[in-house]
Amino acid sequence: MDEHEGAAIETGATPVERRRRSGGRGAERGRKLGPGSKYLNLINTIEKSSVLSPEALESIHEASLTILEEIGMDIILPEARQRMKAAGADVTPGTDRVRFDRGLIMEMMASVPEQFTMHARNPLRNVRIGGNNLVFAQIASAPFVADRDGGRRTGNQEDFRKLVKLAQMYDVVHTTGGYPVEPVDIHASVRHLDCLSDLVKLTDKVFHVYSLGQQRNTDGIEIARIGRGISMEQMEREPSLFTIINTSSPLRLDGPMLQGIIEMSSRGQVVVVTPFTLAGAMAPVTIAGALVQQNAEALCGIAFTQMVRKGAPVVYGGFTSNVDMKTGAPAFGTPEYMKAVVAGGQLARKYKIPYRTSNTNAANTLDAQAAYESALSLWAVTQGGGNFIMHSAGWTEGGLTASFEKFILDVDLLQMVAEYLTPLDVSTDALGLDAVRDVGPGGHYFGTAHTLARYETAFYSPILSDWRNFETWTEAGRPTTYDHANRIFKDKLNQYERPPLDPAIEEELDAFVAKRKAEGGVATDF
């Protein structure tokens, strides 16, 4: 008996019957979003930038395959090594080392889908991954959280929920990431149950499950299935959950990550393979060398998803940046990061596979550094053809801290990117010749019919920019961007309303979470 079937027996009705009585998915599909939903589906049709010539791109590709053939990867999971061997890889007996013929790697890459849809519990929140689609995800996995009032503090459930609510409030944040901040006041054995349940209840967007052991994956898949109110068969046809698989650079894939690929890919869910290659630390000090290693590790993980299940949805992840060679601290939003992001996009397009990258910065507070490093990151991910952008809103301190004020600043930046990508209207009406005729030489356009019909929507209205003159701004107390962001995130939380959720779905979800908690959750000793 499946776990969801057991919960249905306890209530005296099947989940399908209870949903039918309460309106079920039909009611969900009939929902509409408010008038501010212009940022739901972003398309990036601008010509993509390149930092690598065709010859240089091919050199990185070939060098990556040479690494996989001659050096190989350490695969720290016996089941994964067995699957790789069955697919044709060279497994060295008595060791973790696996080598891959370049023909085998490219054979596996050929079955990766170029595009796919991730399905949310509200179908209006579905996101298309790949091609020219651009999807922004909230910050994930920060151990600390900060706002100006409370300062920097350890992650907790209250702040976790607040950040999730903020993600729901802005359409330009298309998905949550992982946990925006790690709520360490919830025991690790059941944390995923509470957090994933909150993600279903507090948002109606696609969400993420951590690959930290098999049971967390299977629990996450079941929670996502319950949240959508569908069968497991439909869930496997319609990816509804994603996981990030980080390599243990250099050239290793550890057990929980490999198990995550097996659990997710075998059920048709989304895997985002992302090497963590910091040039000078876990990768060669040259950006070219770091890209070669990034590509080798990514190709290995991606190929393994196809060994598990041909056609499984997977994303090429790039996270190559540099370190401060004086201190060893990671550096983000740097020229080197920008080059690596753009080069990663070229590699992903070569393989015809969706591309994941990130909005990054290493600032410790909401200051000019936070803004310009994020702006440069967003320039690179946009020009480089990123499809799925992690850590898009709220990232500070190199990802160690989720900032409420930075979340608002980032949303403003994301919306500006979206406005920039909106195709320029050159229709006859937009060209405005009648307005020019009406005004003639030496006049102004403030009162023309052409202006009056458009003035409310003609230009982007920033969330944070303060365009008052100096005297008026001074009279208002000289508020800073930090002041505005602090006020706005609180206003948004006060406006938050929980998205509708079928009572039968919530009942089934609560029953599953209670059952898993009673069983003890998951082991925490790995």
Side-chain angles (χ1 to χ4, degrees):
M1 183 189 305
D2 289 344
E3 291 157 335
H4 53 277
E5 290 174 348
I9 291 172
E10 292 174 5
T11 61
T14 69
V16 172
E17 287 170 343
R18 284 184 280 119
R19 263 174 227 131
R20 194 172 290 132
R21 290 201 289 265
S22 62
R25 297 304 296 171
E28 185 78 16
R29 292 183 190 280
R31 285 182 48 209
K32 296 181 178 180
L33 297 172
S37 56
K38 63 182 294 186
Y39 300 123
L40 281 179
N41 301 295
L42 302 183
I43 305 296
N44 179 3
T45 59
I46 64 173
E47 185 175 354
K48 307 305 183 289
S49 297
S50 298
V51 295
L52 298 171
S53 67
E55 295 77 18
L57 185 66
E58 189 66 18
S59 294
I60 287 176
H61 165 71
E62 290 295 335
S64 304
L65 295 177
T66 297
I67 286 176
L68 293 176
E69 277 189 336
E70 297 182 4
I71 302 171
M73 296 271 294
D74 279 357
I75 304 300
I76 320 296
L77 184 70
E79 181 185 352
R81 294 195 296 273
Q82 292 167 8
R83 286 174 178 263
M84 291 174 177
K85 183 175 182 178
D90 178 15
V91 179
T92 303
T95 74
D96 297 325
R97 188 64 54 88
V98 181
R99 294 174 176 84
F100 305 85
D101 178 82
R102 62 188 61 211
L104 173 63
I105 291 293
M106 297 314 296
E107 176 190 346
M108 294 298 108
M109 295 296 292
S111 63
V112 174
E114 293 186 33
Q115 296 188 45
F116 56 85
T117 297
M118 285 201 290
H119 297 261
R121 72 172 180 87
N122 177 358
L124 295 175
R125 303 286 195 186
N126 291 353
V127 290
R128 188 75 177 158
I129 305 295
N132 286 324
N133 297 285
L134 179 58
V135 173
F136 293 121
Q138 186 183 25
I139 181 177
S141 310
F144 301 103
V145 65
D147 58 37
R148 191 175 59 180
D149 305 280
R152 181 179 183 268
R153 53 196 180 272
T154 301
N156 58 77
Q157 187 177 38
E158 180 183 4
D159 286 323
F160 166 88
R161 287 174 168 169
K162 286 180 179 178
L163 286 162
V164 168
K165 290 175 182 178
L166 283 175
Q168 176 66 19
M169 293 296 286
Y170 289 99
D171 288 332
V172 79
V173 180
H174 302 109
T175 79
T176 56
Y179 311 155
V181 68
E182 193 77 22
V184 297
D185 53 343
I186 307 173
H187 194 274
S189 62
V190 297
R191 187 180 302 159
H192 70 293
L193 298 169
D194 283 332
C195 289
L196 297 181
S197 176
D198 277 346
L199 289 170
V200 172
K201 294 177 180 179
L202 301 179
T203 78
D204 57 3
K205 302 183 179 185
V206 170
F207 58 92
H208 162 278
V209 65
Y210 288 104
S211 288
L212 296 172
Q214 179 181 21
Q215 190 63 55
R216 284 184 178 85
N217 289 117
T218 56
D219 285 346
I221 291 169
E222 178 65 0
I223 287 172
R225 183 202 67 77
I226 293 171
R228 287 193 61 209
I230 60 175
S231 67
M232 187 57 74
E233 291 75 18
Q234 184 175 350
M235 178 86 173
E236 292 193 13
R237 294 194 306 270
E238 300 177 348
S240 309
L241 189 68
F242 71 95
T243 193
I244 304 295
I245 299 298
N246 293 124
T247 56
S248 298
S249 302
L251 302 179
R252 296 182 71 183
L253 270 165
D254 64 29
M257 296 289 106
L258 290 158
Q259 192 69 56
I261 291 176
I262 293 170
E263 298 304 320
M264 294 286 282
S265 293
S266 66
R267 291 167 175 80
Q269 302 309 299
V270 178
V271 169
V272 184
V273 179
T274 309
F276 189 55
T277 39
L278 292 179
M282 293 91 77
V285 72
T286 57
I287 296 301
L291 283 168
V292 169
Q293 185 181 306
Q294 169 191 290
N295 199 51
E297 294 177 4
L299 291 179
C300 174
I302 293 165
F304 184 52
T305 68
Q306 304 307 294
M307 295 175 189
V308 172
R309 179 172 175 167
K310 286 288 182 70
V314 61
V315 179
Y316 181 113
F319 204 75
T320 291
S321 191
N322 55 296
V323 296
D324 178 357
M325 297 306 291
K326 303 182 189 72
T327 65
F332 297 106
T334 62
E336 291 79 15
Y337 178 73
M338 296 171 70
K339 289 179 182 179
V341 166
V342 174
Q346 290 182 255
L347 288 162
R349 289 193 296 278
K350 174 181 177 63
Y351 304 126
K352 296 182 172 60
I353 183 171
Y355 180 40
R356 168 259 158 119
T357 181
S358 300
N359 175 19
T360 63
N361 71 94
N364 291 304
T365 187
L366 194 76
D367 57 8
Q369 179 185 343
Y372 69 69
E373 289 182 349
S374 282
L376 291 173
S377 293
L378 288 172
W379 185 94
V381 304
T382 304
Q383 296 297 125
N387 299 121
F388 188 50
I389 315 305
M390 287 290 294
H391 310 300
S392 293
W395 166 297
T396 57
E397 200 189 341
L400 291 177
T401 299
S403 163
F404 283 93
E405 288 90 358
K406 181 61 163 53
F407 179 92
I408 300 300
L409 173 63
D410 284 330
V411 166
D412 209 3
L413 290 173
L414 299 180
Q415 292 184 168
M416 291 180 190
V417 168
E419 293 289 343
Y420 170 71
L421 295 177
T422 302
L424 193 63
D425 182 4
V426 292
S427 64
T428 299
D429 197 34
L431 292 174
L433 287 177
D434 288 341
V436 178
R437 290 189 183 100
D438 290 342
V439 173
H444 67 77
Y445 290 83
F446 284 115
T448 66
H450 190 264
T451 299
L452 293 175
R454 295 166 176 76
Y455 76 95
E456 290 184 315
T457 58
F459 310 121
Y460 174 69
S461 181
I463 297 172
L464 292 172
S465 297
D466 194 332
W467 289 341
R468 293 174 290 188
N469 63 34
F470 182 82
E471 289 76 18
T472 305
W473 173 71
T474 299
E475 290 172 3
R478 300 189 177 191
T480 65
T481 298
Y482 211 158
D483 294 323
H484 293 315
N486 181 267
R487 169 181 52 81
I488 289 167
F489 94 73
K490 294 172 184 175
D491 289 345
K492 277 294 181 181
L493 286 175
N494 287 333
Q495 297 167 22
Y496 170 83
E497 294 182 5
R498 205 178 92 161
L501 179 63
D502 187 324
I505 289 177
E506 186 162 359
E507 179 184 342
E508 186 180 356
L509 176 61
D510 288 344
F512 174 76
V513 169
K515 176 178 180 294
R516 289 289 298 114
K517 284 186 174 181
E519 293 170 348
V522 297
T524 59
D525 59 350
F526 71 117

